[in-house]
Amino acid sequence: MNDKTPAGRPVKLRSPFIQRLRTYFFTGIIVVAPVAITIYLTWSFVEWVDQVVIPLIPIEYRPEAFLPFTVPGLGVILALVGLTLVGALTANLLGRTVVRLGEQIVDRMPVVRGIYNVFKQIFETLLKDTSDAFQYAALVEYPRRGLYTIGFVAGTTRGEVVRRVDKDLVSVYVPTTPNPSSGFILFIPREDVRILDMTVEQAMKYVVSVGVVVPPDPSAPTLPGFETAPGTETPERKSA
């Protein structure tokens, strides 16, 4: 066994026990970190909503006036109920009239108008059903020919853009990694958009994980020179 490098320097060999501890340590991080971060962010959000909503409730009607302890998450419950009631009220004719009147007032305010319209469009897009917001996950060449990235097909491009270019274009949203809320909207010829078999949710996880969480592709052939991972052999390979 050669314990020296080509330059003649001795190699520091790691003991199997140290390697096993290192593997256990990183495995523990992979298991615990997502759970801990999820709990922390969820609890932080609940506390933030409670701090905003609960002060609006008169002191004599708060749970601590009747109980010897506070009720965490009460603000979230009240916020959900309140938002649902607002949505129900604005769904009828009177509610829509009030909202329309409010938007007309906002449209007369130069700075506020721009901020309101931007956030309104963002929330209308994000809160749509996924099938409506993004139809497919696709592979597009970006930022130049020969380089590929994942994009999300929003639909067929319409309006002045198509009239100016006079081509059959598709609107594709290309998110940035690991924050998919920012990105670019590209208008790409339909023949240059390659629709992927993975779902929009799988593609979004692929982007957010910086390419670590790869969606399964059972129909993909095994590349020459690469071994199939244990437990993922195809029926043909198993029978051989």
Side-chain angles (χ1 to χ4, degrees):
M1 177 177 172
N2 186 10
D3 58 351
K4 293 185 177 180
T5 62
R9 297 177 181 178
V11 179
K12 295 181 179 180
L13 300 178
R14 293 181 179 177
S15 66
F17 178 72
I18 298 298
Q19 291 181 349
R20 193 177 298 110
L21 287 180
R22 181 175 179 271
T23 301
Y24 292 161
F25 173 74
F26 285 109
T27 302
I29 291 179
I30 293 174
V31 173
V32 174
V35 177
I37 293 174
T38 301
I39 294 176
Y40 172 76
L41 293 177
T42 302
W43 186 256
S44 299
F45 175 77
V46 170
E47 288 184 336
W48 176 76
V49 176
D50 285 348
Q51 292 174 1
V52 174
V53 176
I54 291 182
L56 302 177
I57 307 174
I59 299 179
E60 58 271 16
Y61 294 109
R62 298 179 187 177
E64 51 266 29
F66 308 96
L67 302 174
F69 55 88
T70 59
V71 179
L74 178 63
V76 177
I77 297 175
L78 294 178
L80 293 176
V81 173
L83 291 174
T84 304
L85 291 176
V86 170
L89 293 175
T90 54
N92 55 42
L93 179 60
L94 178 61
R96 289 196 296 268
T97 303
V98 174
V99 172
R100 192 178 303 110
L101 179 61
E103 290 181 344
Q104 290 176 356
I105 297 175
V106 172
D107 285 338
R108 297 179 181 179
M109 303 178 183
V111 178
V112 178
R113 174 182 57 194
I115 298 175
Y116 172 78
N117 289 332
V118 168
F119 280 100
K120 180 182 178 182
Q121 293 177 359
I122 291 175
F123 278 98
E124 284 180 348
T125 301
L126 293 178
L127 295 179
K128 280 184 178 179
D129 187 15
T130 305
S131 59
D132 294 333
F134 297 123
Q135 299 177 357
Y136 309 101
L139 196 66
V140 297
E141 290 187 274
Y142 180 83
R144 65 170 175 81
R145 292 285 181 179
L147 298 182
Y148 296 90
T149 187
I150 289 180
F152 300 95
V153 178
T156 301
T157 306
R158 304 180 186 278
E160 184 181 356
V161 174
V162 177
R163 179 171 59 83
R164 294 286 184 178
V165 179
D166 194 20
K167 288 184 178 179
D168 184 15
L169 301 178
V170 176
S171 300
V172 179
Y173 175 71
V174 176
T176 55
T177 302
N179 179 20
S181 62
S182 62
F184 311 91
I185 178 68
L186 305 179
F187 306 110
I188 306 175
R190 188 178 299 273
E191 61 270 15
D192 293 337
V193 178
R194 305 182 184 183
I195 302 299
L196 298 173
D197 292 332
M198 67 179 70
T199 64
V200 173
E201 289 78 11
Q202 289 175 332
M204 190 64 72
K205 292 179 182 179
Y206 200 3
V207 172
V208 173
S209 67
V210 201
V212 175
V213 180
V214 182
D217 186 10
S219 62
T222 303
L223 296 178
F226 291 85
E227 295 183 357
T228 304
T232 59
E233 294 87 350
T234 60
E236 293 79 5
R237 181 177 293 274
K238 287 182 178 181
S239 61

